[in-house]
Amino acid sequence: MNRLRALLTCCAITVLAGCGGGLSQQDMMRHAIRRTPDDEDAGAAAAPAARPAPKPTADAAAVGPASPADVAAVDRSKAMARHRPPANDGGQGDAAARKSDSSSATAAADTGADGSPQSAATQESIVADQPLTPKASRQQAIDKLTAIGSALEAYLEKEGHYPPPAIYGARKEPLLSWRVALLPYLGHAELYQQFNLSEPWNSQHNRGLLERMPAVFASADVEASKTSFLLPTGSATAFFGRRGITRRMIEDGAENTVLLLEVDPPRAVPWTAPEDHAVNLRSPTDGLGSTRGGGFLVVWGGGAVNWVPVVTPVPKLQAIFTPDAGDGVLASQVGQDPLADLTPVDAAEALGDEPIAASPAAGRPTTGDARSAAVGTGLKNAPAVAGDVKQNIEAAAERVARLPVPPSADLDTAREHLRDLFQQEYRKAATAAERQTLAKRMFDHLAEIDSDVAGQYVLIDTVIQIAIQLGAVPLGIQATDELTRRFEVDRHEKTFDTLSGLVRSSGGSHSREIVRAGREAAAAAFQDEQYEVGGKLCGIALSAAQKKRDADQVEELQRFKQQLADAERAHTLAERALQTLDSDPADEHAAAMVGKYFCLIREDWSNGLPILAESDATRLAALAKRDLAKPASPAEQLELGNAWWQEAENGKAGERPAMQGRAAYWYRQAEPNLAPGLARVKIQRRLEEFDQDAKANALRSRSDNKATGYRLP
């Protein structure tokens, strides 16, 4: 089926993958955030073309260095002070910025030939043709990013939102870059007024202004008229769609979200073009880190400049590029002194044992030749007996990003070595128990072949096949989990293949284990918005439960399978509605489809309520508006909880758990402050009822609770 991700830029992460490669909840989340800002922000997203340019400063420089009003009317000593992590980090970053602070005070007082103060961009233009040390080059980039970051904040202060990614035309097509819209805030109002804002950047008129790029956008090792200072864009970032984002829309704090970054020279773009850096959340360091010693420079909301190592754990990198609340990652946990010369190894040691982004520095094979050179060596030299190394295997697997499946030639060679090692033992194993013992021992050899990528893949896959032949359900699931954790293999489809084989070979003798494994795998697929394969996994669990004649489990799994089918239908409707909203943001019926998907399927209330409030789903829209008002008194909270509970009783069965969950949220806010009495007893009983139902629900019993009504707004 058509998937939503085909409409949008790559989203999330491993766990953000949506519906077989379609648009995930995080993709649509950006639409919800940006489409319906609060009333005070509703008019904040007008394209720059719709407003007159600020009055130009006298003789604003249009070529080369910026004027004294350029970026930098910013006091450089204050700007450098912002290089330390934001204030909400608990003070962890104070020491990291002292070095840059101490060297910046005198630079603010530098003057030009006429005795007027020079901006950072002006000073660097004077030495642009001189050879620079890596440190001096980095300092120039820091100064420019500081200046652009200050201009972004000035734009925010004046307009109420950050600039949209582009200046848009009458047909909503991107014409010019946000960098053009920022010119008046960089002291280049005169240059700004020379652009025809109703024509694309490469029109005959606007193309003539390409060569007049202000020095503040000039980048090291990049050809003239191009820049490597780009916005992070994509469906999961702060810059998605045609609306400028406000500070209130950045849920985890602008100070903890990357708003600007320096990309590698090959990713540079013409400075007036509406092009930026499309963040790949599966591999967040793509296009980053080759210029600045194994890291890249970023600007956080508020203007702070930091250096981020490419070996930063992938989940943390994903978190800093997304404006979502709840990821718990602070700028101070990721960003470092922008002049720090940390090696990738030092950074990795400091960042702990989480998975890290793929990079040559991580020590992984990066080419087919490199993989071929080591093919089979680990298996060939592995000792015949290995100890209990499962914990070491799991720890090692968690430290690296997933590897691509090795080439066929490498796998064939590894299979030959595997046969040399274990074929005779396998033939001697006459019983199923002996063969299962051998398969477990083979699995233990993983720790001995950590450098043999093809050997790892072949060994794990062979264990899976043996487990399927023997009907060894726990071993088959364990090996499948290991394979999909180490390699770029679709987790849910591979689990379905394994379980299907185990069902055929076990003959119903392991029905309880099949039910548990299928149920858990289906719930995981739901969380990843892979509803179609989730339905197939649930079907496996349901068939096993029917063979067991377990009526309670059959009823539960039938309900769960229906939930997956409902979710897939809602996802499809949301996909179509999203296309409608792209062309007509005011379409209330399309808003209802998208808002219902967020709130009633994903239970993502913080992003679903604003869009649902502007929909034609009359009762739900009214409830959403009341919810967004965030009632503070216990009586109002109780009343809102009752309204959601009543709507759940009158609504569709598939939507009932989500609405009851929302009611439970407001009940929990009100209950501690209610006086003893019937009202309090009533909501306590409803909470007990909700909790009991939640425990019995296949989705709500998941340990991560991603789909429950307990998620705070």
Side-chain angles (χ1 to χ4, degrees):
M1 59 180 287
N2 234 354
R3 299 302 179 191
L4 297 175
R5 203 171 278 134
L7 302 175
L8 303 172
T9 311
C10 174
C11 79
I13 51 222
T14 52
V15 298
L16 303 177
C19 213
L23 176 65
S24 70
Q25 177 195 4
Q26 289 215 0
D27 289 329
M28 291 188 289
M29 188 183 299
R30 293 326 121 205
H31 285 264
I33 293 173
R34 291 160 185 68
R35 183 183 170 278
T36 56
D38 293 337
D39 290 343
E40 67 186 65
D41 301 322
R51 68 174 191 277
K55 186 177 180 179
T57 57
D59 300 323
V63 182
S67 69
D70 196 340
V71 194
V74 180
D75 181 336
R76 184 163 178 248
S77 63
K78 292 181 181 179
M80 290 302 293
R82 290 203 306 272
H83 295 164
R84 63 173 59 94
N88 66 347
D89 66 359
Q92 301 172 34
D94 291 343
R98 289 175 187 146
K99 178 180 177 183
S100 56
D101 283 344
S102 65
S103 64
S104 63
T106 58
D110 289 350
T111 59
D114 61 355
S116 63
Q118 285 186 315
S119 70
T122 304
Q123 295 173 36
E124 74 188 44
S125 70
I126 296 173
V127 296
D129 294 328
Q130 301 176 14
L132 294 176
T133 65
K135 184 176 181 180
S137 174
R138 185 179 296 188
Q139 182 63 67
Q140 284 193 2
I142 292 168
D143 291 342
K144 293 179 180 182
L145 287 168
T146 298
I148 299 171
S150 297
L152 288 171
E153 295 301 312
Y155 186 108
L156 170 69
E157 183 174 356
K158 179 176 175 58
E159 303 295 336
H161 60 90
Y162 288 107
I167 297 173
Y168 294 92
R171 295 193 301 272
K172 303 178 182 178
E173 72 277 23
L175 300 177
L176 290 154
S177 169
W178 61 273
R179 289 174 286 271
V180 174
L182 208 63
L183 286 173
Y185 301 87
L186 291 166
H188 290 287
E190 183 182 6
L191 177 58
Y192 174 79
Q193 290 183 333
Q194 294 182 42
F195 281 88
N196 187 330
L197 302 182
S198 63
E199 294 181 357
W201 70 278
N202 56 355
S203 69
Q204 183 175 359
H205 172 80
N206 288 337
R207 190 168 60 243
L209 300 173
L210 256 181
E211 62 184 12
R212 303 183 66 180
M213 181 175 72
V216 71
F217 293 129
S219 307
D221 302 318
V222 171
E223 65 185 81
S225 78
K226 285 191 173 185
T227 182
S228 58
F229 301 141
L230 312 183
L231 299 179
T233 61
S235 58
T237 69
F239 296 98
F240 178 67
R242 293 184 297 270
R243 288 182 176 267
I245 193 169
T246 69
R247 272 187 167 269
R248 291 182 62 183
M249 294 178 189
I250 305 177
E251 299 174 346
D252 57 359
E255 294 78 10
N256 299 314
T257 303
V258 173
L259 300 185
L260 183 69
L261 74 168
E262 182 185 38
V263 300
D264 293 343
R267 300 291 183 99
V269 302
W271 76 279
T272 60
E275 301 173 16
D276 284 281
H277 178 65
V279 177
N280 176 6
L281 290 184
R282 292 180 181 274
S283 182
T285 56
D286 284 355
L288 306 173
S290 70
T291 304
R292 304 297 174 193
F296 55 99
L297 295 173
V298 303
V299 179
W300 307 97
V305 179
N306 275 172
W307 179 82
V308 176
V310 295
V311 294
T312 301
V314 168
K316 289 184 178 180
L317 289 173
Q318 293 169 340
I320 66 175
F321 284 123
T322 61
D324 298 338
D327 53 46
V329 176
L330 302 177
S332 60
Q333 298 171 325
V334 178
Q336 302 183 20
D337 183 327
L339 290 172
D341 279 320
L342 290 177
T343 65
V345 173
D346 293 334
E349 291 175 352
L351 290 165
D353 293 337
E354 297 178 70
I356 61 175
S359 70
R364 287 174 39 193
T366 56
T367 66
D369 290 342
R371 287 193 296 269
S372 298
V375 168
T377 55
L379 279 173
K380 192 75 172 177
N381 299 317
V385 179
D388 183 9
V389 293
K390 183 184 298 183
Q391 290 183 346
N392 292 335
I393 294 170
E394 293 174 351
E398 289 295 328
R399 291 185 64 88
V400 296
R402 296 200 304 169
L403 297 163
V405 177
S408 298
D410 295 359
L411 296 177
D412 290 341
T413 303
R415 289 188 185 97
E416 292 179 7
H417 292 311
L418 186 69
R419 282 193 292 269
D420 290 344
L421 278 171
F422 294 107
Q423 190 173 52
Q424 290 187 357
E425 291 182 73
Y426 188 77
R427 288 174 177 172
K428 291 178 181 178
T431 66
E434 290 174 344
R435 290 190 173 184
Q436 185 168 336
T437 299
L438 175 60
K440 291 179 179 178
R441 187 156 59 83
M442 291 170 63
F443 201 53
D444 287 340
H445 274 297
L446 276 174
E448 311 300 328
I449 58 171
D450 198 50
S451 62
D452 182 0
V453 178
Q456 293 177 44
Y457 186 94
V458 167
L459 190 149
I460 300 171
D461 193 52
T462 301
V463 171
I464 293 172
Q465 299 309 315
I466 294 175
I468 289 175
Q469 292 173 6
L470 301 175
V473 177
L475 179 60
I477 294 301
Q478 180 188 6
T480 299
D481 288 345
E482 191 67 33
L483 186 73
T484 58
R485 182 167 62 176
R486 287 176 178 253
F487 293 95
E488 294 173 352
V489 175
D490 187 292
R491 170 190 177 191
H492 307 298
E493 290 290 354
K494 185 64 177 177
T495 301
F496 173 72
D497 291 342
T498 299
L499 280 175
S500 298
L502 288 167
V503 167
R504 289 192 298 269
S505 61
S506 64
S509 59
H510 297 278
S511 294
R512 180 172 300 183
E513 294 165 340
I514 294 290
V515 169
R516 183 175 64 251
R519 178 179 175 277
E520 291 178 354
F526 181 96
Q527 300 304 334
D528 289 347
E529 298 178 272
Q530 301 244 5
Y531 304 121
E532 185 175 1
V533 69
K536 294 191 294 184
L537 287 161
C538 186
I540 288 177
L542 178 58
S543 296
Q546 290 169 336
K547 289 181 180 179
K548 281 176 55 187
R549 302 181 185 278
D550 188 324
D552 291 340
Q553 283 193 332
V554 167
E555 181 181 357
E556 175 202 338
L557 289 166
Q558 286 174 334
R559 185 171 60 247
F560 182 17
K561 192 172 183 181
Q562 185 61 50
Q563 285 179 278
L564 286 159
D566 291 343
E568 185 170 14
R569 281 193 294 272
H571 188 272
T572 301
L573 290 173
E575 173 189 13
R576 296 169 184 167
L578 206 53
Q579 292 175 318
T580 301
L581 289 176
D582 277 341
S583 58
D584 182 8
D587 190 301
E588 294 182 351
H589 185 67
M593 297 300 100
V594 177
K596 285 181 179 180
Y597 179 75
F598 281 147
C599 293
L600 306 183
I601 300 299
R602 302 308 303 175
E603 299 191 43
D604 184 351
W605 298 93
S606 59
N607 294 301
L609 285 171
I611 197 167
L612 190 60
E614 293 192 357
S615 74
D616 64 359
T618 309
R619 293 198 307 273
L620 289 174
L623 279 174
K625 290 174 183 176
R626 291 174 61 184
D627 208 303
L628 288 169
K630 293 181 170 53
S633 73
E636 291 175 323
Q637 292 168 344
L638 173 61
E639 185 180 352
L640 182 55
N642 286 337
W644 276 115
W645 194 274
Q646 183 64 40
E647 186 65 24
E649 291 180 341
N650 295 332
K652 297 178 181 179
E655 299 173 347
R656 192 170 299 144
M659 289 188 280
Q660 287 183 337
R662 194 59 181 174
Y665 167 75
W666 286 112
Y667 285 156
R668 295 184 200 282
Q669 307 306 305
E671 194 267 342
N673 301 307
L674 287 175
L678 293 178
R680 187 172 183 178
V681 172
K682 180 180 178 180
I683 67 170
Q684 288 173 340
R685 289 186 177 178
R686 282 187 171 177
L687 286 171
E688 290 175 1
E689 178 184 342
F690 172 77
D691 289 340
Q692 289 174 356
D693 289 344
K695 288 178 181 178
N697 188 294
L699 296 179
R700 295 169 183 273
S701 62
R702 298 255 308 149
S703 60
D704 53 20
N705 269 342
K706 289 183 180 178
T708 71
Y710 294 104
R711 181 168 179 167
L712 300 182

